[in-house]
Amino acid sequence: MDGLDQQQAELLARIAEADANALEAIRVGALGKSGTVTLLLKTLGGMSPDERQAQAPAIQGLRTAVADAIAARKAALDATALEARLVDERLDMTLPVGIGAEGSVHPVSQVMDELAEIFADLGFAVATGPEIEDDWHNFTALNIPETHPARAMHDTFYFGEGDRDGEGRRMLLRTHTSPVQIRTMTQTPPPIRIIAPGRVYRSDSDATHTPMFHQIEGLVIDRDIHLGHLRWTLETFLKAFFERDDIVLRLRPSYFPFTEPSVEVDVGYTVEKGRRVIGGDPTGPNGGWMEVLGSGMVHPKVIAAVGLDPAEWQGFAFGTGVDRLAMLKYGMDDLRAFFDGDLRWLRHYGFRALDVPTLSGGVGA
Ligand code: PHE
C-alpha cells in the first residue's frame, strides 16, 4: 500500500510540473498499454478473489487519481496557451494601414460615395430605410394597390403569409428604394431634398440582373417644383458623375404608378476605342441613347398618402441602379462579378481606401 501511495504522490508531483510534451510522456508511461499503472491493474487478474478485493480499490483509485490529475493539468495548460495566443495575436485596429496592405473599396461603395458627394453639394441629405419592408411602404403608399399589375412585375421576395408587422401588413424584401420616399415624407416635414442609396431585391438572375442589387433614389418636395427642376438636377448630376460637360439628356414619356407625369431619362453615348462611353454626340455616327434613370413628378396620390396637401406641395423623384452606373463609368460588363468576391476582380476594379471622392479632387479620381 505504501508503495502505491508513494507512486501516486510522485506521479501527481510530476504531473503538476509537466508541460504539454512531458504530460503526454507521463500519460503513456502510467496509463498507456504497458504503463506502470496499467500493469498494476493487470496484476489483479492473477490474484485470488480475496486478494483482489483487498487490492483493487487502491489500484483503481491510483488510476483514477492519475487520470484526473492529467486531465486537470491538460485543461490548465490549454487555458494558458489560449491566453498567450489571445495576447499574441491581438490586432491593433488603430494602427495605420501598412504599405502593401490588402483590401480595396468596392466600386459600389465608391460610386455611392461619389453620388453622396455630388448630391450633398446640391443640398441633398442622405436618407435610409429598412431592406425588410412592408407592402404598404413598398407598394400601396406608392399608388401600387394590391391588384395593380406592377406588383406582379416586381418579382417580389415575400415573407410568409403569417409574417406580418404590428399593423397586419405583409412583409417583403424591398424591390426598390422608393419606399424611402414614403418613410422620409411621413417623418420629416417639407421642404425635402434627399437621396437614398441602398440594397434592393428582386427574384431575377442573369448577366445584367442579380437577386440583390443597388439603387439610389432622389426626392425633392417643396412648393412650386416643376419638371424643369428635375431636368436641371439630373443634368447637373450626370455631368458631375461622368465628369464630362458634353452630356446630353433626352426625356421620354413613360409610366410609373408613383409619378405623374413619368419620364425615362436617356443619356447620349459615343463609342470610343470599341467601348461605349457616356457623353459626346448621340446623333453622330458613333453615337446613341442609353436609358439611365426613371423619374417624374411625385403623384398627388402619393403626396396625399403621406398626409401632405398635394395642392400645396409638389416634387420630383428619380431612381436608378448604382451597379449599372458603376458599370457604365468604370467599364465592367458582367454584373454578377460585383458579388462574386473574386480577389483579382476586386484588386483590378477596387479603389484605394484613402481615395475619398471629392468634387475638387474629382469624384472618380
Ligand atoms: N422605383 C423605380 C424602379 O425601381 C424607379 C423610379 C424611382 C421611378 C423614382 C420614378 C421615380 O424602377
Side-chain angles (χ1 to χ4, degrees), residues 176 178 181 202 215 217 256 258-259 294-295 317-319:
H176 51 177
S178 300
Q181 289 187 35
R202 290 184 202 179
Q215 284 191 338
E217 193 84 5
F256 297 104
F258 34 90
T259 46
S295 65
F318 59 87

Side-chain angles (χ1 to χ4, degrees), residues 225-230 258-263 295-300 314-317:
I225 297 289
H226 55 72
L227 265 183
H229 296 119
L230 169 64
F258 34 90
T259 46
E260 182 56 37
S262 299
V263 275
S295 65
M297 301 305 294
V298 180
H299 199 295
Q314 308 80 44
F316 63 80

Side-chain angles (χ1 to χ4, degrees), residues 70-92:
I70 288 175
R73 179 66 187 157
K74 184 163 171 22
L77 287 172
D78 285 350
T80 316
L82 180 63
E83 280 294 296
R85 259 189 73 192
L86 287 176
V87 172
D88 231 40
E89 295 177 8
R90 185 165 51 197
L91 290 178
D92 186 347

Side-chain angles (χ1 to χ4, degrees), residues 131-352:
E131 289 166 31
I132 297 175
E133 260 296 2
D134 58 71
D135 64 358
W136 187 80
H137 285 93
N138 196 79
F139 291 127
T140 315
L142 287 161
N143 193 32
I144 316 176
E146 201 101 35
T147 53
H148 200 287
R151 277 214 192 190
M153 278 159 50
H154 270 213
D155 301 312
T156 311
F157 287 114
Y158 280 100
F159 286 72
E161 268 289 351
D163 297 318
R164 290 174 186 258
D165 71 359
E167 294 173 75
R169 292 169 181 163
R170 189 90 197 263
M171 302 307 286
L172 45 81
L173 293 179
R174 67 177 179 191
T175 58
H176 51 177
T177 42
S178 300
V180 185
Q181 289 187 35
I182 304 300
R183 291 192 175 270
T184 307
M185 287 189 279
T186 50
Q187 280 158 25
T188 355
I192 290 168
R193 272 192 294 245
I194 57 118
I195 52 164
R199 294 191 181 100
V200 300
Y201 302 83
R202 290 184 202 179
S203 179
D204 207 351
S205 191
D206 58 36
T208 50
H209 297 88
T210 47
M212 185 281 294
F213 58 105
H214 301 83
Q215 284 191 338
I216 184 162
E217 193 84 5
L219 175 70
V220 169
I221 300 286
D222 207 334
R223 296 185 175 91
D224 305 320
I225 297 289
H226 55 72
L227 265 183
H229 296 119
L230 169 64
R231 194 194 168 102
W232 180 87
T233 305
L234 295 182
E235 196 173 304
T236 306
F237 145 57
L238 289 167
K239 283 181 175 169
F241 180 73
F242 288 106
E243 298 178 88
R244 285 176 74 138
D245 264 337
D246 60 346
I247 288 185
V248 223
L249 263 56
R250 182 172 78 174
L251 271 54
R252 273 183 298 113
S254 181
Y255 174 76
F256 297 104
F258 34 90
T259 46
E260 182 56 37
S262 299
V263 275
E264 231 141 27
V265 180
D266 294 340
V267 70
Y269 70 82
T270 43
V271 177
E272 286 177 12
K273 297 184 199 119
R275 187 166 102 74
R276 279 186 183 188
V277 295
I278 303 299
D281 180 8
T283 62
N286 292 322
W289 295 101
M290 199 182 307
E291 184 199 320
V292 286
L293 280 141
S295 65
M297 301 305 294
V298 180
H299 199 295
K301 280 193 179 172
V302 174
I303 307 255
V306 298
L308 295 175
D309 178 4
E312 183 177 5
W313 302 104
Q314 308 80 44
F316 63 80
F318 59 87
T320 184
V322 175
D323 317 279
R324 192 125 176 284
L325 288 179
M327 290 167 84
L328 284 174
K329 181 165 177 178
Y330 295 112
M332 308 89 164
D333 51 16
D334 193 338
L335 177 62
R336 288 168 298 195
F338 275 57
F339 312 116
D340 282 345
D342 184 326
L343 268 182
R344 289 161 304 176
W345 190 90
L346 290 168
R347 281 196 194 108
H348 184 79
Y349 289 109
F351 292 80
R352 280 178 298 132

Side-chain angles (χ1 to χ4, degrees), residues 5-86:
D5 280 347
Q6 198 187 333
Q7 204 174 332
Q8 175 164 336
E10 271 173 28
L11 275 170
L12 295 192
R14 280 172 58 208
I15 290 167
E17 305 269 272
D19 64 11
N21 288 335
L23 190 64
E24 180 58 10
I26 296 170
R27 191 191 65 78
V28 173
L31 305 176
K33 246 197 189 136
S34 44
T36 50
V37 178
T38 308
L39 292 180
L40 269 172
L41 280 163
K42 281 187 182 158
T43 62
L44 290 174
M47 291 179 189
S48 71
D50 282 351
E51 223 182 337
R52 188 182 309 134
Q53 212 166 25
Q55 302 269 14
I59 297 178
Q60 269 152 3
L62 169 65
R63 202 250 318 253
T64 311
V66 171
D68 287 353
I70 288 175
R73 179 66 187 157
K74 184 163 171 22
L77 287 172
D78 285 350
T80 316
L82 180 63
E83 280 294 296
R85 259 189 73 192
L86 287 176

